[in-house]
Amino acid sequence: MKLSQILNRQHIDFMFKKHWAVQGKRFPIDTGLEHLLKEKGIPVEDALEFVKVHERKPLSKERINIVGAYETPLPLDENNPDYKSRPCLTLTNTNVLLEGISQAQVLTKTVIAEDKLPNKIEELAEISIPKLVHEGVKKAILSANVFDCEQKKLPKVKDPARPAYNFPRILGISDRRRNEIITNKLLQLVEKSSDFELSQTRYVLNDVECKTVFDKEDDLIQFQDMSHILVTSNKPLTHELPERDIPFVKIPDLYPVKYSVTLPPQHFYDEKSIYPIQPSITNKHPHTTWLHFNRTEVSNIYETPVTDAQIHGRSLTHAFTVATAYAKQLHGEEVQDLPEPIYVNCIQTDGQKYHFGVFELNTLNVDGVEGTKNVWYCKNDVKLYDRSCYFNGMPVLENYNPKVFGYINAFYHC
Amino acid sequence: MHLVKFHRNLPKFKFWTKRRYSHALLTDENEYTEAPEYPPILDMSLQGRKLRERQIVHEKIQKLNTVEEKQIALNMPRYYGWKCVMLNEDKIPYNALPLVKCYTRTHFIPSSSLPDVYSETASLADLVVKQTKSLIEDIIILESEAVKHNYVAEQEKPEEQQKEDMITKNIVKQINRIICNKLSDKASHILSSQADYEPRHEAFWFVGGLDVPHTVRNQRKKHKWLRDQLEEPIDRPVQYIGTPLLTLRSNLPLKPLLPYVEATNPDFKVPKFSFVPESVGYHTQHRHGTNIPGFWTGDCDEFGLLSYHGRGHISVRNPSFGLEDNVEALHSQALKASFGWLLGQANYQGFTTYNDITYPLVTQTIITNGKLWSFYVYQMNTIAMHNEQMDENPKHNICFGTKPLQLYDTIENGQVKGFNEEVLKMLVQLYLNAPEERDHEMKPFLGKEEQIIADIEDDEKRRWLESRYKHLVSNRPKHYLMPEIYLWERIYKIKHNTRFFEAKRRFFERDINPFKRRLDEHLPPYIPKVLRPYPRCRKKFENTYYPKV
């Protein structure tokens, strides 16, 4: 260093060095207090000695019972008084069966008539619907997929070729809201375009829960399901049986899989079935139940994507849940074979694809594969449209299929 | 010496230059007029010049073609968003009505019945009430007692409020369903209308003539040329956010309640409320102004018929506010909700807070909890109330409203006691109010060909504007945090100058106001070299299409 170099007076490094030097060796400042106290004859004790005395005898700590904002709930384990040793295998509406429709068949003891709906529905579906109503359906599709203003985070976008790449999160309409809008608007259109005499005998409920608990062989099983829309009527739904020679799909043998696979056991449950409407109400009979398939909410318990067969199975278990819950309210918990069959219509949708079904509940005894069986008429995978979204900044609706609305209308009117 | 040389060469340069000061003889004979025509005398003071600058911006916004561009233009001056006074639908402080009246420029007329316009449909409404009364009684019993709904409480709101709103929502859905089904063959507008559940309603506007907050006054003190304007009133951006339970909208607007000339009637004058809104219980938030009436542009059902709102928030209000204030809170909720929705609709017709509407718009608002019903009919005549317009604009909005009326007294043993048919009749009359086509131009400030961005021909521009608009109105957090003065900086740098030796790099040390940054003051997305067009292209950044205002 040159001797002649002028140092910058406010050198930040020097400031830090000096600061460290000061902070590095601290020593107590003599306040002169000790001297003063001694003069007045007051004994002075060394602080370190004082601390040591207290260290020798630790104070016994009493446990304080802290009263929180709410009572802490008991842990959900074997010691809980509500714990039941017999596990109940539970299927909820956010879970699907591993084997899909065939497992659902075994669980509910049902035979299937594929692509076959009762004649009355097929006839009603052929009735031509005014153009104005179809325009309304198109408006409903667009308002659910394009024009609704919800801006929520959608699921992460993944590119299978480079799975670690993070794309920007897209904000848009969540599938729950999309389905709510489209199903409600379709039903509103059906009701508005039908007679008031008919629509006053129906009742429309949103988001109601049905629960059914039953024994199958040695297992206790419960289905907890939610009807996103439940249309009820003032008299029980009946269907005329279609011709006898239907090629029914028989109940399959699932071996090596057991029927209870992917039904997680629960030890906290209530053995009473729940039907959401009280028996004193006149409009209590279930007519059509709408089930949404929200891809972000429904999943396998193992992280594999949900397959079509599983979605079809969901329709069946859902219709079974509503029908049995209603049957148990009607005939009591222990009813087995029903004196008269109970029918429930079911429509499942993810907004684009529609799965129609009619469930005929004949028995609640689901043991084995022999004896009386339940019947499931279904027509799956009907598309309402091919594409409906913003494309290049323009709203798009491609290939609208008017048949779907015909079926929805028929389901309401039957 | 050089100067002499230059002077000598001057005639040579003459050939190069053009004689700009000479021109052809004026063909116009009327150069001279009888009376002298002077150019307008402009106010050259600071305020005068600033006012002209603002007016130019307002004109530019008016001339923009599409709705979305106008919305982006409103937000152009602020990169981090406006510091908005937040008006929420269901958070109402004590004594809220005077502020809401002033901010929405509304004259409120309390009444016990609907305005006279509705008397035409009274007889039909009576008939409908007779036929639907028993059904509606059934609904009330069913929804209050007999159905078990699945409901999940959220953390943000009090549980009591949510429970009440949930029951209300179900009752409202059912009543709407019954009345719509009943009326769909009697009134064609019901059949073609759309019902929305819990749509998103947002509105943004400026309110002028308000008192100056102390922060602004302190800022003004710093500048010599502003010292004589310390108490000059300011504009406050206001943002309304609400979620009705259910709305009906149609492709035609409702008829005006009063003729448009009545808007300037001095009887409807609104008292000014110029206190700082923070001092009476409102808070501010930095956000982009959004105008959303529950749907994106392009939907054909652009005009509201009626909206239902919950009143669960009343049940969790502080009991010491008193019953009278609760009624006022309902009125203020109705004013906010009606004005907010109509303002959103007006923005989709091409008007903004700077470009006033040219015709009145009407909506009907219902606030209910299933048992108590209050009805409001609102006519919007003006939306211009920024600084220049606050005192000069002669127009006012008008709202008729009732007190909460009981639909029934009690439910006993599964029977509704004391059902009030008058209330149901009023409700049916709101439904029977049919919209009508107007005989004037609805969108005078929008382009002829391009009215929304979906109409734009240029693919790239359309795509860019669509994504920019949606990004803006989503108000999602910025990639970088907002600039902030940390506490240690305030102590050691601003209040006490202890670090004078450090380089001055932060914005407050360099006299930069980061909140004055404009929306387009950012680098556009970079185009990597491989993606640039062949053979050679020097264009490094993508195009942006911000409106030029």
Side-chain angles (χ1 to χ4, degrees):
Chain A
M1 196 170 90
K2 255 165 70 179
L3 280 176
S4 58
Q5 189 186 5
I6 302 164
L7 287 173
N8 202 350
R9 191 176 281 191
Q10 268 91 35
H11 194 295
I12 196 161
D13 271 6
F14 287 1
M15 194 202 95
F16 271 103
K17 269 188 199 167
K18 202 128 199 189
H19 192 69
W20 275 97
V22 173
Q23 295 284 329
K25 35 187 172 179
R26 292 191 189 185
F27 48 88
I29 306 160
D30 183 17
T31 54
L33 194 69
E34 192 177 345
H35 178 67
L36 269 172
L37 289 172
K38 269 183 185 165
E39 260 183 13
K40 295 200 172 174
I42 299 167
V44 177
E45 210 174 324
D46 190 0
L48 290 174
E49 291 297 317
F50 180 80
V51 174
K52 268 181 195 167
V53 172
H54 281 278
E55 266 178 8
R56 268 179 233 134
K57 39 174 184 179
L59 291 166
S60 61
K61 282 182 188 168
E62 272 183 36
R63 200 175 175 80
I64 304 166
N65 186 23
I66 298 167
V67 184
Y70 54 90
E71 224 170 274
T72 43
L74 288 172
L76 294 176
D77 55 14
E78 293 91 65
N79 302 327
N80 195 308
D82 293 336
Y83 181 86
K84 288 174 184 155
S85 53
R86 188 184 182 198
C88 185
L89 307 173
T90 309
L91 178 74
T92 61
N93 61 334
T94 56
N95 186 6
V96 286
L97 299 169
L98 179 71
E99 293 291 316
I101 186 83
S102 38
Q103 191 182 347
Q105 262 184 291
V106 177
L107 277 171
T108 60
K109 198 174 171 189
T110 306
V111 288
I112 300 179
E114 283 250 31
D115 248 352
K116 194 95 199 160
L117 290 175
N119 291 343
K120 198 172 157 198
I121 290 179
E122 293 286 2
E123 279 163 22
L124 281 168
E126 295 299 316
I127 296 172
S128 74
I129 289 161
K131 210 177 167 193
L132 193 71
V133 179
H134 279 303
E135 289 305 313
V137 180
K138 282 183 195 169
K139 271 204 264 182
I141 297 169
L142 277 175
S143 88
N145 290 299
V146 178
F147 291 131
D148 189 60
C149 295
E150 191 180 58
Q151 290 191 299
K152 282 218 173 118
K153 254 190 195 174
L154 298 184
K156 277 188 181 173
V157 182
K158 280 288 173 196
D159 181 5
R162 31 177 197 169
Y165 192 87
N166 286 326
F167 290 96
R169 285 299 278 273
I170 300 170
L171 301 187
I173 311 165
S174 58
D175 48 2
R176 170 186 273 264
R177 179 147 176 97
R178 180 193 314 263
N179 288 341
E180 264 171 24
I181 292 175
I182 196 157
T183 50
N184 279 308
K185 285 205 171 176
L186 288 179
L187 195 62
Q188 280 165 13
L189 274 170
V190 172
E191 293 207 303
K192 274 196 239 171
S193 58
S194 62
D195 273 350
F196 185 66
E197 302 305 317
L198 177 73
S199 66
Q200 68 177 345
T201 62
R202 302 265 192 271
Y203 199 80
V204 179
L205 290 164
N206 283 91
D207 295 341
V208 285
E209 199 177 22
C210 286
K211 195 180 93 174
T212 180
V213 190
F214 56 93
D215 282 296
K216 180 171 170 66
E217 284 144 39
D218 300 332
D219 294 312
L220 185 66
I221 298 174
Q222 68 169 343
F223 287 175
Q224 276 176 337
D225 227 324
M226 196 155 83
S227 291
H228 291 96
I229 302 176
L230 181 65
V231 181
T232 58
S233 64
N234 61 352
K235 52 178 185 278
L237 173 70
T238 51
H239 280 293
E240 282 166 32
L241 285 176
E243 65 271 36
R244 290 280 155 198
D245 49 343
I246 303 173
F248 282 118
V249 179
K250 284 187 184 137
I251 299 172
D253 183 11
L254 291 177
Y255 185 81
V257 174
K258 201 190 168 191
Y259 59 79
S260 62
V261 67
T262 65
L263 293 181
Q266 272 197 4
H267 290 277
F268 297 92
Y269 56 88
D270 185 11
E271 280 186 44
K272 209 165 175 291
S273 300
I274 297 172
Y275 183 68
I277 308 174
Q278 281 178 11
S280 59
I281 304 297
T282 45
N283 287 345
K284 66 173 175 181
H285 309 285
H287 185 277
T288 307
T289 167
W290 290 65
L291 177 65
H292 294 166
F293 176 68
N294 303 334
R295 205 167 273 280
T296 52
E297 290 169 13
V298 181
S299 60
N300 270 303
I301 59 169
Y302 312 108
E303 293 166 359
T304 51
V306 180
T307 61
D308 279 352
Q310 288 175 330
I311 296 170
H312 301 161
R314 216 170 154 251
S315 280
L316 175 52
T317 50
H318 177 75
F320 177 80
T321 313
V322 176
T324 44
Y326 169 67
K328 287 189 177 181
Q329 193 193 56
L330 210 62
H331 302 291
E333 285 284 333
E334 302 305 324
V335 65
Q336 294 288 322
D337 286 357
L338 296 174
E340 273 182 14
I342 289 172
Y343 293 93
V344 174
N345 300 340
C346 176
I347 304 174
Q348 188 183 195
T349 176
D350 65 346
Q352 191 185 19
K353 272 187 193 169
Y354 285 75
H355 315 285
F356 298 99
V358 175
F359 187 71
E360 181 188 322
L361 184 73
N362 294 318
T363 177
L364 273 75
N365 175 16
V366 290
D367 292 342
V369 291
E370 296 305 318
T372 330
K373 294 184 198 96
N374 304 315
V375 189
W376 173 241
Y377 305 93
C378 65
K379 194 175 185 77
N380 290 327
D381 299 322
V382 198
K383 266 191 180 178
L384 181 61
Y385 56 86
D386 274 355
R387 186 167 67 153
S388 171
C389 59
Y390 267 110
F391 178 68
N392 271 352
M394 288 185 291
V396 173
L397 171 63
E398 279 178 9
N399 290 345
Y400 165 67
N401 177 9
K403 276 185 187 166
V404 178
F405 189 74
Y407 276 112
I408 294 171
N409 197 34
F411 266 59
Y412 185 82
H413 283 91
C414 67
Chain B
M1 187 62 203
H2 290 295
L3 202 70
V4 175
K5 254 187 185 173
F6 176 72
H7 200 247
R8 217 184 286 151
N9 289 331
L10 204 61
K12 288 180 194 168
F13 289 114
K14 275 187 180 174
F15 298 105
W16 293 8
T17 57
K18 283 183 185 165
R19 298 172 65 181
R20 290 181 193 281
Y21 41 85
S22 73
H23 47 82
L25 267 174
L26 274 175
T27 49
D28 187 11
E29 299 280 310
N30 303 327
E31 190 185 355
Y32 298 99
T33 54
E34 298 254 317
E37 279 178 13
Y38 296 105
I41 300 170
L42 298 178
D43 179 6
M44 294 310 287
S45 65
L46 180 66
Q47 287 114 308
R49 279 178 288 149
K50 288 281 173 196
L51 173 65
R52 275 200 299 286
E53 273 174 28
R54 288 199 296 272
Q55 280 167 346
I56 289 168
V57 172
H58 300 172
E59 273 166 31
K60 279 183 181 167
I61 293 179
Q62 184 177 325
K63 278 179 191 153
L64 287 171
N65 269 343
T66 61
V67 175
E68 289 91 336
E69 278 177 295
K70 283 179 199 250
Q71 296 304 314
I72 298 174
L74 281 181
N75 286 298
M76 277 309 277
R78 294 285 184 276
Y79 181 84
Y80 293 104
W82 296 97
K83 196 180 178 192
C84 300
V85 178
M86 300 302 292
L87 296 186
N88 285 83
E89 190 198 330
D90 55 359
K91 284 177 200 154
I92 302 174
Y94 180 70
N95 193 17
L97 197 54
L99 179 137
V100 173
K101 271 184 185 171
C102 170
Y103 280 22
T104 60
R105 212 180 171 80
T106 309
H107 179 77
F108 180 69
I109 304 170
S111 63
S112 56
S113 60
L114 294 174
D116 301 336
V117 191
Y118 287 87
S119 53
E120 295 167 14
T121 53
S123 54
L124 181 55
D126 274 328
L127 189 73
V128 175
V129 168
K130 258 180 211 161
Q131 290 165 346
T132 52
K133 185 190 158 193
S134 63
L135 290 171
I136 285 175
E137 281 179 341
D138 288 348
I139 287 171
I140 293 163
I141 296 162
L142 229 149
E143 293 294 341
S144 315
E145 289 177 349
V147 176
K148 206 174 156 217
H149 276 281
N150 196 21
Y151 122 92
V152 187
E154 288 170 28
Q155 286 281 309
E156 291 92 57
K157 287 181 183 170
E159 206 177 324
E160 200 181 332
Q161 179 184 346
Q162 289 185 52
K163 224 171 192 170
E164 190 177 324
D165 279 343
M166 206 248 340
I167 294 172
T168 313
K169 194 171 79 187
N170 292 324
I171 292 181
V172 162
K173 274 183 190 174
Q174 299 302 340
I175 290 182
N176 172 63
R177 173 181 162 260
I178 292 287
I179 296 180
C180 277
N181 292 347
K182 181 72 206 165
L183 292 182
S184 59
D185 51 345
K186 291 191 175 66
S188 60
H189 66 274
I190 297 286
L191 184 62
S192 62
S193 66
Q194 282 195 58
D196 295 324
Y197 295 150
E198 299 183 44
R200 171 177 168 194
H201 283 187
E202 292 179 7
F204 172 76
W205 70 102
F206 283 97
V207 179
L210 301 186
D211 284 357
V212 192
H214 70 275
T215 45
V216 178
R217 196 183 291 112
N218 289 348
Q219 280 294 322
R220 284 181 181 172
K221 272 183 198 162
K222 282 184 190 167
H223 306 292
K224 209 173 18 175
W225 58 90
L226 288 176
R227 282 203 191 130
D228 55 338
Q229 307 168 21
L230 284 184
E231 301 299 331
E232 240 355 67
I234 58 158
D235 259 347
R236 293 296 296 259
V238 181
Q239 174 78 51
Y240 163 77
I241 294 179
T243 319
L245 302 172
L246 191 148
T247 61
L248 278 191
R249 52 194 168 87
S250 113
N251 56 348
L252 295 174
L254 288 171
K255 290 169 284 193
L257 301 168
L258 301 170
Y260 195 36
V261 282
E262 281 289 300
T264 51
N265 191 342
D267 294 347
F268 297 143
K269 198 153 176 53
V270 179
K272 204 162 162 184
F273 188 90
S274 63
F275 299 120
V276 178
E278 285 91 330
S279 65
V280 286
Y282 292 90
H283 73 282
T284 55
Q285 191 186 335
H286 271 283
R287 53 170 286 141
H288 297 297
T290 51
N291 282 295
I292 298 168
F295 54 94
W296 296 129
T297 54
D299 198 325
C300 48
D301 294 331
E302 290 183 310
F303 299 99
L305 295 182
L306 58 90
S307 63
Y308 285 93
H309 298 259
R311 44 173 285 168
H313 59 93
I314 296 289
S315 58
V316 291
R317 275 187 116 210
N318 192 337
S320 66
F321 288 180
L323 295 176
E324 201 179 322
D325 192 69
N326 281 352
V327 176
E328 283 198 358
L330 288 177
H331 294 335
S332 65
Q333 184 191 357
L335 295 191
K336 280 191 280 190
S338 315
F339 181 81
W341 196 24
L342 285 174
L343 182 58
Q345 292 167 27
N347 272 273
Y348 276 20
Q349 299 299 314
F351 305 102
T352 62
T353 174
Y354 295 133
N355 315 121
D356 199 3
I357 49 174
T358 54
Y359 50 85
L361 283 171
V362 175
T363 189
Q364 311 169 111
T365 306
I366 301 156
I367 302 179
T368 179
N369 63 354
K371 186 176 181 184
L372 294 166
W373 294 70
S374 16
F375 302 95
Y376 299 87
V377 190
Y378 193 99
Q379 172 166 339
M380 188 166 78
N381 297 314
T382 181
I383 53 175
M385 50 191 100
H386 52 273
N387 235 351
E388 294 87 54
Q389 294 284 322
M390 192 62 181
D391 296 325
E392 288 166 15
N393 187 356
K395 290 181 215 153
H396 301 97
N397 304 318
I398 298 153
C399 180
F400 297 89
T402 67
K403 278 187 173 175
L405 305 168
Q406 271 202 4
L407 183 63
Y408 59 91
D409 291 338
T410 46
I411 302 174
E412 284 170 20
N413 310 328
Q415 292 288 317
V416 174
K417 290 276 158 71
F419 190 84
N420 188 352
E421 285 185 17
E422 275 304 302
V423 178
L424 183 59
K425 185 183 159 190
M426 283 162 101
L427 181 62
V428 174
Q429 277 177 314
L430 295 190
Y431 274 87
L432 283 173
N433 187 11
E436 232 175 41
E437 195 153 5
R438 303 264 179 102
D439 54 358
H440 48 71
E441 199 186 349
M442 298 303 285
K443 301 178 177 180
F445 298 157
L446 292 182
K448 292 279 169 293
E449 313 269 291
E450 295 173 356
Q451 299 200 326
I452 51 173
I453 47 176
D455 299 337
I456 294 175
E457 294 264 311
D458 181 1
D459 267 355
E460 197 186 329
K461 185 179 179 187
R462 187 184 341 107
R463 239 189 333 246
W464 188 89
L465 276 171
E466 210 265 333
S467 69
R468 187 72 193 96
Y469 173 67
K470 295 280 161 68
H471 191 275
L472 192 85
V473 296
S474 74
N475 269 306
R476 64 193 296 177
K478 298 234 172 286
H479 186 65
Y480 292 113
L481 290 176
M482 261 208 279
E484 171 188 11
I485 299 176
Y486 304 111
L487 199 56
W488 71 268
E489 286 178 327
R490 193 172 287 286
I491 297 168
Y492 293 111
K493 286 188 164 186
I494 297 176
K495 287 204 169 158
H496 309 284
N497 189 14
T498 60
R499 301 170 74 94
F500 44 84
F501 39 79
E502 280 181 0
K504 293 185 174 14
R505 296 210 175 93
R506 301 272 291 149
F507 61 89
F508 54 86
E509 294 164 334
R510 302 170 66 194
D511 263 348
I512 295 170
N513 184 351
F515 294 102
K516 284 275 163 73
R517 183 174 168 187
R518 285 176 65 83
L519 193 64
D520 55 354
E521 281 176 24
H522 63 86
L523 268 187
Y526 177 74
I527 312 173
K529 273 191 179 169
V530 282
L531 298 181
R532 289 181 206 167
Y534 188 78
R536 293 185 74 190
C537 181
R538 300 212 149 225
K539 204 177 149 226
K540 285 186 178 175
F541 297 101
E542 285 174 14
N543 284 338
T544 61
Y545 298 92
Y546 285 108
K548 291 182 180 53
V549 290

